[in-house]
Amino acid sequence: MKLSGKRVMVVGLGRSGVAAARLLAARGAQPVLVERNLAVDRAKLPPAQVHVGADDPAWLAGVDLIVTSPGVPRDATLLSEAVARRIPVIAEVELAAQFLSAPIAAITGTNGKSTVRALLAGMLKAAGMSVFVGGSLGAPLIDAVDRVLDALVVEVSSFQLEWIEHFRPKVGDSS
């Protein structure tokens, strides 16, 4: 995925949104960061245009791509308007997957995701593998980018799966 020079909006500046913003800046994108919560810790953010408060569709001007955080509802104003304007919207896991080469095991479902994730990661580590463990709880998948790993074991929420196109785990489990 070529990001250099693109204006990429990150909606939601929780753990995964901040990590996505850092990756985008490191890859030469021009981040536009959006957070509804007025208490944004700007010290954690890369240099970027930052919008705080109620969504304003005017912020979409010139945006090439939107990366959404897991907690942002699908019908949020900016996401709905982006879809109407045909601006691509992807999840943080979709962005991360573009830069990962190790096999991904994704755990989804209603119950038992964290337990299955912990058990699988424990087995792979016991086999001597270098494993990233994270996802919707814990470290965001994007934190694994540029690390040398044998496998990634991630818990993926239904919210994250709403905005994927190319994210294809090697193994998937719906507990």
Side-chain angles (χ1 to χ4, degrees):
M1 173 178 278
K2 184 180 180 308
L3 296 170
S4 184
K6 291 189 177 182
R7 281 179 53 85
V8 183
M9 178 178 281
V10 177
V11 180
L13 297 178
R15 187 181 282 179
S16 68
V18 170
R22 287 186 184 140
L23 176 92
L24 292 166
R27 302 275 191 217
Q30 300 167 12
V32 178
L33 310 179
V34 176
E35 174 58 56
R36 286 185 162 201
N37 184 345
L38 300 177
V40 173
D41 184 357
R42 292 178 188 250
K44 294 181 179 180
L45 304 176
Q49 182 179 8
V50 180
H51 299 288
V52 178
D55 294 347
D56 183 347
W59 298 341
L60 293 168
V63 169
D64 300 302
L65 172 69
I66 294 182
V67 177
T68 183
S69 296
V72 178
R74 187 172 181 85
D75 63 353
T77 301
L78 287 174
L79 302 184
S80 296
E81 187 64 27
V83 170
R85 294 183 190 191
R86 298 180 189 243
I87 300 170
V89 178
I90 63 173
E92 168 264 334
V93 295
E94 176 77 7
L95 177 64
Q98 304 295 314
F99 300 99
L100 296 168
S101 59
I104 300 170
I107 318 307
T108 66
T110 305
N111 296 311
K113 293 183 299 289
S114 297
T115 302
V116 171
R117 180 186 70 175
L119 288 170
L120 180 55
M123 287 187 281
L124 295 173
K125 287 178 180 179
M129 297 177 76
S130 172
V131 180
F132 172 86
V133 183
S136 58
L137 291 178
L141 182 59
I142 209 156
D143 282 350
V145 171
D146 295 329
R147 291 177 54 187
V148 177
L149 298 162
D150 296 313
L152 302 104
V153 180
V154 293
E155 183 174 331
V156 183
S157 74
S158 60
F159 299 111
Q160 292 169 298
L161 295 175
E162 288 181 324
W163 297 106
I164 63 165
E165 185 175 336
H166 302 289
F167 176 74
R168 297 292 182 266
K170 184 84 168 167
V171 176
D173 173 57
S174 180
S175 299

